[in-house]
Amino acid sequence: MATVELRFTALPEHVRTARLVAAAVARRAGVDESVLDEVRLAVGEACSRAVGLHRLHGLESPVRVSLTEDEKKFSIEVADEVPETGSPSAPGRHGEAAGHPAPVSDEAGEGDMGLAVISGLVDDFEVTAGGTGGTIRMSWPTVPPPLAT
Amino acid sequence: MDLSLSTRTVDNRTVVEVGGEIDVYTAPKLREQLVELVNDGSYHLVVDMEGVDFLDSTGLGVLVGGLKRVRAHEGSLRLVCNQERILKIFRITGLTKVFPIHTSVEEAVAATD
């Protein structure tokens, strides 16, 4: 099992860097070329959501992205440090999922739309929320390199 | 890659040509452009996305916001896009039912509701 970990300050300009790194590591891990666009989009959505949550809560701690390769799959974990609140922390704001407020903007509920995009793209996808923050986990199958003969 | 924006008028329609990546960092620039156009009285917009390399949900949110604004003035917002990877995002979010999507600027400009 090999891991690449990336930590970045919750700034929108760093989300692109996370996308590029994730796509590069996924390609190396053997994720099919046709799926790399999906990896790029899904990790971008997860990171945008985490950045939005950190900014909404005024957190200066970084967002953490783990890219893990094992024999059969390539996994990405995007972790934020916004604790589960159990109840909406900002009454009257829209776009709040159970116990975990989504980023709010003056446009559509972008945090929720981000999750909708990920769930439409990735079959193996899970969102968890806990006392230390939330995590989005997703994985893609890898194609093993051809055996040398 | 950053976002590039340019506008031109074709037959009473304002065509916004977008290039580069629309994400959480660049989407505010597109939002500003759309808001400015509507504030200046351009209510029939065609957003040409042929030069867009990447689009995420933040970009979708801005386009939905733009649509909401032009509709408040009985206007329209049409998209031009032929790229499968961009169209896929509209499809999985169900937004193909919300936006008229055309294959060329000419077709979008000529279209009427």
Side-chain angles (χ1 to χ4, degrees):
Chain A
M1 190 189 280
T3 301
V4 173
E5 197 168 293
L6 176 72
R7 291 163 77 242
F8 66 92
T9 306
L11 292 171
E13 53 265 50
H14 294 327
V15 172
R16 179 171 188 260
T17 306
R19 287 201 306 267
L20 294 174
V21 172
V25 178
R27 177 181 281 125
R28 241 205 68 83
V31 174
D32 196 78
E33 283 291 325
S34 64
V35 187
L36 287 178
D37 271 340
E38 294 177 11
V39 172
R40 203 175 285 127
L41 181 57
V43 78
E45 295 292 356
C47 289
S48 302
R49 181 172 179 275
V51 166
L53 284 168
H54 276 218
R55 289 164 73 85
L56 183 67
H57 291 262
L59 292 186
E60 287 181 10
S61 52
V63 170
R64 189 174 53 79
V65 184
S66 297
L67 310 158
T68 308
E69 170 191 353
D70 62 29
E71 273 177 32
K72 288 181 181 159
K73 63 177 184 179
F74 171 70
S75 313
I76 300 181
E77 261 189 44
V78 177
D80 64 68
E81 294 191 1
V82 178
E84 188 181 25
T85 54
S87 63
S89 62
R93 287 185 148 155
H94 65 284
E96 283 172 344
H100 208 160
V104 174
S105 78
D106 65 338
E107 302 290 345
E110 287 159 9
D112 290 350
M113 190 133 66
L115 288 182
V117 169
I118 298 173
S119 63
L121 285 175
V122 189
D123 294 333
D124 183 14
F125 158 64
E126 181 191 34
V127 187
T128 54
T132 55
T135 305
I136 293 179
R137 289 189 188 86
M138 42 205 168
S139 78
W140 289 264
T142 52
V143 181
L147 292 172
T149 51
Chain B
M1 186 189 284
D2 215 343
L3 184 75
S4 66
L5 293 168
S6 66
T7 60
R8 64 183 195 275
T9 304
V10 183
D11 293 344
N12 290 328
R13 300 282 189 268
T14 304
V15 179
V16 184
E17 202 177 298
V18 191
E21 300 187 340
I22 312 177
D23 73 354
V24 66
Y25 178 52
T26 61
K29 290 178 202 162
L30 177 60
R31 177 183 297 146
E32 274 168 34
Q33 173 78 83
L34 296 179
V35 169
E36 197 181 302
L37 286 169
V38 174
N39 287 347
D40 291 347
S42 302
Y43 303 140
H44 291 281
L45 308 179
V46 172
V47 179
D48 179 359
M49 306 191 54
E50 284 300 271
V52 172
D53 303 312
F54 181 87
L55 173 75
D56 72 3
S57 63
T58 328
L60 292 177
V62 168
L63 292 171
V64 170
L67 183 66
K68 210 167 75 181
R69 284 192 170 82
V70 295
R71 278 194 178 162
H73 298 277
E74 289 170 6
S76 62
L77 193 157
R78 295 173 180 280
L79 303 176
V80 176
C81 183
N82 292 296
Q83 302 185 68
E84 188 46 40
R85 63 179 178 177
I86 304 288
L87 289 171
K88 185 178 180 177
I89 304 162
F90 286 96
R91 227 175 277 132
I92 60 177
T93 51
L95 289 173
T96 44
K97 297 189 185 89
V98 175
F99 290 104
I101 301 178
H102 300 273
T103 54
S104 68
V105 170
E106 292 69 29
E107 187 191 294
V109 166
T112 50
D113 289 323

